Amino acid sequence: MTVFIRIGLAILFLDEIVVGGWNAISPDTFYRNFPTVDLTPPFSEHYARDFGGATLGIALLLGIAFVKPKAHFVVPASLAYSLFSVPHFFYHLAHLEGATIGEAITLTAANAIVALLGIAIIVVTTSRDRREQRRENTSTPALG
């Protein structure tokens, strides 16, 4: 289970570090070159840099959780990611006008995968920790 958690965290971390870093460092090139961003409202450097910084903050939490995949790191990091990614998925799902069929499929699938991955990491982590807690409770001899 920890392997799944770490792989999932690595995927989300890489996604956030690339998107956040690009947005924070060069928001104008992000807006011009990142696939499907041109489907959104006009460019705002302020919005893009703020989004980039917030995304880097989520990447930091995901990176810490990757290094120390304990529930007290993984669950808050994955929740922070999910609080962004789930509404982001639904926004794009409702705003596909102007996208080609290929862009719409790619955008919808990619956003769905990462949104579900964030939630799956939470479920797997809590399940793993409950299982480990039960094992510890059954292997500890009763004091009497």
Side-chain angles (χ1 to χ4, degrees):
M1 290 182 139
T2 301
V3 171
F4 170 81
I5 293 166
R6 278 203 154 136
I7 290 170
L9 289 167
I11 291 167
L12 299 182
F13 171 79
L14 290 172
D15 177 52
E16 293 300 272
I17 201 80
V18 168
V19 171
W22 191 357
N23 250 313
I25 294 166
S26 186
D28 56 328
T29 63
F30 180 88
Y31 188 82
R32 283 194 315 270
N33 299 304
F34 195 84
T36 71
V37 171
D38 58 345
L39 299 174
T40 59
F43 172 71
S44 165
E45 182 178 354
H46 176 216
Y47 167 79
R49 287 190 189 274
D50 287 355
F51 172 73
T55 302
L56 288 173
I58 293 171
L60 174 67
L61 294 174
L62 291 164
I64 292 167
F66 174 80
V67 172
K68 285 293 239 182
K70 301 292 184 192
H72 58 272
F73 295 124
V74 173
V75 172
S78 297
L79 278 172
Y81 182 83
S82 295
L83 285 171
F84 155 73
S85 66
V86 172
H88 184 85
F89 164 75
F90 284 109
Y91 173 84
H92 281 292
L93 189 63
H95 296 89
L96 293 171
E97 58 276 346
T100 66
I101 292 173
E103 287 174 329
I105 291 169
T106 302
L107 186 62
T108 302
N111 283 320
I113 289 166
V114 293
L116 290 171
L117 182 57
I119 294 166
I121 290 169
I122 295 166
V123 170
V124 170
T125 300
T126 55
S127 174
R128 177 201 65 188
D129 286 14
R130 273 189 253 150
R131 182 177 297 138
E132 288 175 5
Q133 186 65 40
R134 280 195 302 270
R135 251 188 253 134
E136 288 174 12
N137 289 342
T138 58
S139 67
T140 305
L143 297 176

